[in-house]
Amino acid sequence: MRPLWFVLPLLLTLAACDDPDAPAPPSGEAPATQAREGLAGIWRPQGDSDLNALVLEDEGQLYLVGDGERRGLRWEKNGDGAVTLHYLGGGDAVTEDGLQATLDNPALTLEGDSPFAGEYRRDPAGIGTLEGRVTLPEDGAVPDKGVLVLTLRDLSAADGDQDGQLARRLIRLSLEGDLAMPFRLYFDQTRVDGAHRYALDARVIADGGTLFALPAPRRVLNADGDRQ
């Protein structure tokens, strides 16, 4: 297993971005294939829900903030108000849920046979973001099926607390010329405790094995949003 170089220009923000309605993905992620017509944004479920936020990025990336069972992958608009959400549901198989979307800003209704059907409101308050770039060694050879796994952890969490996991993201590798790849994580800012220590772990996996990994988790943030 090879070490993974990690270039991390950290950026921790809350809701106050210039255009919270349409969060843009880091350069290098999947290009847009369909016009989204204003659906992109940070959507908070109304009523009781284990999901903290449904994030639809403008270029088609899907994030499921606070969902401990599912991992968002991507989303797409199919026409006539129909959208498809692609996510991992606890295993390696990708689940595709087709829903009917009705947008009445700042409200969104998703209808269909899906755990994500329901009423949402556009509201980025309390959602933090962590951005950076992962760089592989110059002689690194990555197979076509290589996946970057990023995990934001609370190192001070009590034993049994899901390994202190605050956010996790699986990204199909799409490297730039310098073997670098940008990333973004969304997390529930209300779970960040100023007295705790937080770190980001990164590894590249393929065919069931780990090819590259950080020698040690990288310390990243505190409750005030300061760099560490």
Side-chain angles (χ1 to χ4, degrees):
M1 182 174 65
R2 299 284 303 282
L4 183 68
W5 296 100
F6 197 54
V7 180
L8 188 64
L10 289 177
L11 174 62
L12 175 63
T13 63
L14 300 180
C17 56
D18 290 338
D19 184 9
D21 291 346
S27 172
E29 292 201 349
T33 56
Q34 300 283 345
R36 264 80 185 180
E37 297 179 0
L39 290 179
I42 298 176
W43 299 95
R44 309 298 289 271
Q46 303 301 289
D48 294 335
S49 175
D50 293 333
L51 182 68
N52 188 265
L54 179 76
V55 181
L56 307 177
E57 284 200 332
D58 193 52
E59 296 292 334
Q61 301 297 311
L62 170 67
Y63 295 79
L64 306 173
V65 183
D67 192 321
E69 298 181 4
R70 306 172 186 89
R71 309 292 177 194
L73 297 174
R74 62 189 184 278
W75 71 283
E76 59 195 12
K77 189 175 185 298
N78 306 312
D80 297 327
V83 297
T84 302
L85 306 182
H86 305 259
Y87 60 93
L88 295 174
D92 295 332
V94 177
T95 299
E96 300 181 2
D97 286 355
L99 298 121
Q100 190 68 26
T102 302
L103 178 63
D104 184 14
N105 268 318
L108 173 67
T109 301
L110 297 178
E111 297 177 287
D113 184 13
S114 166
F116 304 110
E119 303 289 333
Y120 294 81
R121 189 170 186 83
R122 194 188 297 274
D123 179 10
I127 301 299
T129 62
L130 182 66
E131 299 181 23
R133 188 176 68 162
V134 169
T135 302
L136 271 64
E138 293 184 0
D139 60 346
V142 180
D144 294 338
K145 295 182 179 180
V147 174
L148 172 64
V149 181
L150 297 161
T151 307
L152 176 61
R153 285 194 174 92
D154 180 351
L155 301 179
S156 307
D159 292 340
D161 186 17
Q162 284 193 342
D163 234 3
Q165 190 175 121
L166 202 63
R168 195 172 192 225
R169 184 72 174 168
L170 282 69
I171 309 171
R172 179 77 68 185
L173 281 179
S174 177
L175 300 173
E176 301 170 355
D178 57 354
L179 293 181
M181 183 173 180
F183 67 84
R184 177 182 289 132
L185 290 176
Y186 291 86
F187 60 93
D188 182 359
Q189 177 70 12
T190 64
R191 293 180 58 193
V192 177
D193 186 329
H196 287 200
R197 297 175 298 113
Y198 297 89
L200 186 64
D201 178 68
R203 60 188 60 245
V204 174
I205 61 174
D207 299 323
T210 299
L211 302 182
F212 303 94
L214 280 177
R218 176 73 177 269
R219 289 284 300 277
V220 286
L221 55 90
N222 60 32
D224 298 321
D226 296 329
R227 288 183 60 175
Q228 293 192 13

